Amino acid sequence: MTINNIKSIIFVILGFISFGIGVAGVVLTVLPVGPFFLFAAFCFCTSSKRVENWFKGTSFYKEYVVRIRENKGMTRKEKIRINLCWWAF
């Protein structure tokens, strides 16, 4: 086994653990869901170039992440939608 294989395996394990805690956070209101899902996505993308390429091809990545990475921010419509959802809960 090479260092890259070991690193990949560790990131996959960390991704599944973080995803599991995130799922538990959906049921248990004590745990924050967002950070665990974000960390799981980071771990899965870091573990495999194939997964990273798939994620970069999704509409979610193209609509939200690319604009933030390019320092363009969110549109006013997105901010209003997020605030309306937040106020509803």
Side-chain angles (χ1 to χ4, degrees):
M1 276 189 132
T2 65
I3 291 291
N4 288 336
N5 288 346
I6 294 171
K7 191 170 110 174
S8 267
I9 292 169
I10 289 172
F11 275 118
V12 168
I13 291 170
L14 285 174
F16 277 116
I17 290 171
S18 180
F19 183 76
I21 294 171
V23 170
V26 170
V27 179
L28 307 170
T29 57
V30 181
L31 297 172
V33 176
F36 288 109
F37 283 154
L38 288 174
F39 183 66
F42 168 77
C43 288
F44 288 134
C45 286
T46 306
S47 70
S48 168
K49 208 59 160 155
R50 182 175 164 201
V51 175
E52 181 182 4
N53 290 335
W54 168 80
F55 181 66
K56 286 182 177 180
T58 62
S59 62
F60 175 81
Y61 183 84
K62 291 175 183 174
E63 288 179 30
Y64 300 106
V65 180
V66 170
R67 272 203 322 267
I68 291 173
R69 288 188 67 147
E70 294 174 350
N71 291 327
K72 293 182 180 176
M74 293 190 303
T75 64
R76 180 174 295 213
K77 181 180 176 182
E78 291 170 344
K79 291 177 185 177
I80 291 171
R81 183 178 52 86
I82 288 171
N83 281 317
L84 287 175
C85 291
W86 179 74
W87 288 332
F89 286 104

